[in-house]
Amino acid sequence: MFANSRRILKYLLLFPLLLAATPALAAREVKIGYQGCIQILGDTPTDQIGLFKFALCDKNCETTYWSNDDTSVAGSEPTNAVDVPILDCVFNLLLGDTSLENMKEIPEEAFDTDEALYIRTWFNDGLLGWQQMFPDQELSAAPFAVKSESGGD
């Protein structure tokens, strides 16, 4: 009887650990690589930190599916900025990288649409203020990869 009690106790202790690990196994971060070259009045900034804001939306940005700080509505400018290094005009980051300040994760549900998705970007060099960058950039394969991995159609 004592041996059976030990075995039951061992399984009871193991069960909560399995339950605690389940969300970690099921969840995964969606990150989208994004880079570009900044030119300001024909000049290219080098070796500085740029302030950026991002929104993921439909073609006309009537619907926002994600923004770097979850504050954008209908393609509006998010409230908080992400600091991104610029080297020889080039910026490069992972959208959805929660290790960056003011960067929220991109939920898989953002890709549950059949519409094309676009990244709307704002930039501030610290001198000219916030400027929306044009045109909004269409995502290509990333939404389809997330949908196929999650079993979406």
Side-chain angles (χ1 to χ4, degrees), residues 31-138:
K31 297 178 185 175
I32 300 171
Y34 187 55
Q35 71 177 24
C37 182
I38 298 291
Q39 289 191 335
I40 304 167
L41 303 174
D43 193 20
T44 55
T46 59
D47 302 331
Q48 71 179 60
I49 299 294
L51 302 174
F52 289 83
K53 298 177 181 181
F54 306 97
L56 186 61
C57 52
D58 60 3
K59 183 173 184 160
N60 297 316
C61 275
E62 294 170 352
T63 303
T64 300
Y65 295 98
W66 169 88
S67 66
N68 62 278
D69 66 354
D70 286 337
T71 62
S72 176
V73 176
S76 66
E77 183 178 327
T79 304
N80 300 298
V82 179
D83 294 348
V84 181
I86 301 172
L87 181 61
D88 295 329
C89 93
V90 176
F91 69 91
N92 186 8
L93 76 153
L94 291 171
L95 299 176
D97 180 356
T98 58
S99 71
L100 300 174
E101 188 172 348
N102 296 320
M103 182 69 76
K104 300 290 185 181
E105 76 177 80
I106 301 173
E108 288 185 35
E109 295 79 30
F111 303 102
D112 284 347
T113 180
D114 290 327
E115 294 185 64
L117 296 175
Y118 291 79
I119 300 172
R120 180 167 280 185
T121 306
W122 293 263
F123 173 71
N124 185 339
D125 68 348
L127 300 173
L128 299 175
W130 287 104
Q131 304 292 320
Q132 183 180 335
M133 298 170 65
F134 291 98
D136 296 338
Q137 298 296 305
E138 184 176 3

